[in-house]
Amino acid sequence: MTVATSLIPGLDEIVRRGDPRRRSDIARAIAALFFQDAAKLRPDLVDLFDNLLIDLVPHADLTARIDLAERFSRVGNAPRHLVGQLARENEIQVAGPVLRRSPMLDEAALIEIARLKGQGHLLAMTERPVLSAEITDVLVERGDRDVVRRAAGNAGAMFSAGGYSELIKRAAQDGVLTLKIGQRDDLSGDQLKELLGGTLDVIRRRLSSVVKPARQMEIRRAMNEIEEASLPQGPRRDFSAAQRTVLGLNREGHLGESALLGFAKAHKYEESIAALSAMSGVRLSVLDRLIAGDRYDPILVLGRVLNLGWPTVRALILLWYGPQRAPADADIEVARMNFTKLMPSTADRVVNFWRSRQTI
């Protein structure tokens, strides 16, 4: 104590006359000496304050500890061991300030605390201006919903490949997390595609509305790839002759429902699809893969959007069945009822989405 009292004026009086039962006051008084000129203190003097305060502060009352933690969290040369002690307190009001911002906590300490402490400590840590991938690995592994959301929304946080994979997995059940991940600048194209693949369409649209224009283009491209991959793979058809026929009808002003009905009744698949493509504005290859699938629902949707009559829609459904299959009357009646119930607004949204897949 002789060295300490000779180096720090006033410390001898505080220690010699201080009542052990008034440790909060003593701790505050010693801290006040530190803060008088903290920026100019030599490292050896900072260590001296560290040795004194580390035994006093834990016995101070809660109000004093909260105040000291807040003040020390903002000092670039705060006593290192004291800051570590404060960060490990179970009382989050004490630990929180230093976990959020103190530069004196090194990565090893942060990882240790993240592995051992509760969600309040992890949540405070997510507010640090910089988080390494090693720290976020632990936050993503142990953190609850709020911790993971806050970490994903921290622009200064870095994530490992494994951390990102776990984030994206959790985002499948969390639309808010999806939005936060989707807005990160370090998200790769493959990670964006993985994120969107497990996301509801309403979240995809919301994400597209809040990200930067460049990311909007990435989202559209990723969605095109996802949807293209999900379409059934059928045999390749040659539509060149059918397209010439349809273009000729269009130039002459004869392309319409009557021509489409004629193609469908004659079981001219290529001409029917080419006509539907020209009339709906959906790319022919996309339309072919949709209608070649195992459900005729796309025909109902197109029929509603193009305001086709039931006879034309029925002929297209029979075309979908093919000449070798004859649907039961009950099946056709179910299709008619579904077509009648289909809301135009719903059909419009679906077809608009199909149209958007032309911009790859």
Side-chain angles (χ1 to χ4, degrees):
M1 192 61 64
T2 303
V3 175
T5 55
S6 64
L7 291 175
I8 305 175
L11 183 58
D12 177 61
E13 184 71 11
I14 293 170
V15 175
R16 186 164 52 83
R17 296 182 179 274
D19 184 343
R21 292 172 298 180
R22 298 175 58 236
R23 284 170 174 162
S24 294
D25 295 337
I26 297 172
R28 285 180 186 273
I30 295 174
L33 287 175
F34 176 87
F35 290 120
Q36 280 179 6
D37 208 2
K40 296 182 179 179
L41 288 176
R42 300 194 313 269
D44 59 327
L45 292 182
V46 174
D47 289 342
L48 178 59
F49 277 108
D50 205 356
N51 291 331
L52 289 169
L53 290 169
I54 201 168
D55 292 325
L56 287 171
V57 171
H59 303 286
D61 60 48
L62 178 60
T63 301
R65 301 201 316 277
I66 293 173
D67 176 63
L68 292 174
E70 183 66 37
R71 297 184 70 185
F72 278 117
S73 73
R74 301 180 184 278
V75 177
N77 65 334
R80 184 178 299 277
H81 294 96
L82 174 64
V83 167
Q85 183 184 72
L86 293 169
R88 290 172 174 82
E89 278 219 25
N90 290 330
E91 178 53 64
I92 190 59
Q93 289 178 280
V94 176
V98 291
L99 288 174
R100 291 186 188 98
R101 68 182 71 90
S102 176
M104 303 308 296
L105 287 173
D106 60 24
E107 184 155 308
L110 289 168
I111 291 174
E112 176 200 337
I113 294 167
R115 289 196 180 281
L116 297 177
K117 294 296 184 177
Q119 297 302 312
H121 290 67
L122 272 60
L123 188 63
M125 205 176 294
T126 62
E127 297 184 34
R128 295 183 70 82
V130 176
L131 290 169
S132 72
E134 288 74 14
I135 295 172
T136 59
D137 276 350
V138 184
L139 296 179
V140 172
E141 175 189 344
R142 294 196 64 235
D144 62 14
R145 183 190 64 181
D146 292 335
V147 169
V148 174
R149 285 178 176 178
R150 191 79 65 83
N154 184 340
M158 294 178 287
F159 294 91
S160 66
Y164 249 130
S165 180
E166 184 62 25
L167 271 182
I168 291 170
K169 186 185 303 182
R170 294 182 66 163
Q173 306 296 326
D174 188 343
V176 173
L177 180 58
T178 298
L179 295 177
K180 290 184 178 294
I181 297 172
Q183 295 178 76
R184 292 190 59 83
D185 291 335
D186 59 350
L187 187 71
S188 71
D190 288 342
Q191 288 166 338
L192 175 63
K193 188 175 176 180
E194 184 182 355
L195 176 69
L196 295 172
T199 302
L200 295 174
D201 188 50
V202 64
I203 302 298
R204 294 169 181 166
R205 292 197 299 271
R206 172 63 179 152
L207 177 60
S208 186
S209 71
V210 299
V211 297
K212 300 173 183 177
R215 179 56 55 82
Q216 290 176 356
M217 293 179 62
E218 291 180 36
I219 289 173
R220 286 196 294 269
R221 186 181 301 113
M223 288 309 306
N224 288 335
E225 294 174 0
I226 290 169
E227 292 302 321
E228 289 285 346
S230 70
L231 291 173
Q233 298 292 333
R236 290 187 175 275
R237 295 175 180 265
D238 184 1
F239 286 92
S240 54
Q243 284 181 298
R244 288 194 294 270
T245 300
V246 169
L247 286 173
L249 289 172
N250 191 44
R251 281 195 300 269
E252 297 167 5
H254 299 315
L255 180 60
E257 183 171 359
S258 177
L260 177 60
L261 177 59
F263 291 142
K265 281 187 171 182
H267 285 276
K268 293 184 176 181
Y269 179 87
E270 287 81 0
E271 287 80 359
S272 297
I273 300 303
L276 282 171
S277 174
M279 294 166 68
S280 67
V282 178
R283 191 173 58 181
L284 190 148
S285 61
V286 172
L287 208 54
D288 176 36
R289 294 176 68 184
L290 283 166
I291 294 178
D294 58 1
R295 297 178 63 88
Y296 56 70
D297 294 4
I299 295 172
L300 304 183
V301 172
L302 288 165
R304 179 60 68 209
V305 167
L306 297 174
N307 198 27
L308 300 178
W310 170 246
T312 304
V313 174
R314 180 179 183 277
L316 289 167
I317 292 174
L318 293 175
L319 174 67
W320 176 83
Y321 271 99
Q324 305 304 319
R325 294 190 298 167
D329 291 342
D331 293 333
I332 293 296
E333 178 59 18
V334 169
R336 188 191 68 78
M337 292 177 62
N338 289 337
F339 177 66
T340 302
K341 294 176 182 177
L342 182 60
M343 297 292 292
S345 58
T346 301
D348 283 338
R349 285 197 297 271
V350 174
V351 171
N352 283 334
F353 178 70
W354 293 344
R355 289 170 182 149
S356 72
R357 283 163 46 196
Q358 298 176 83
T359 53
I360 295 179

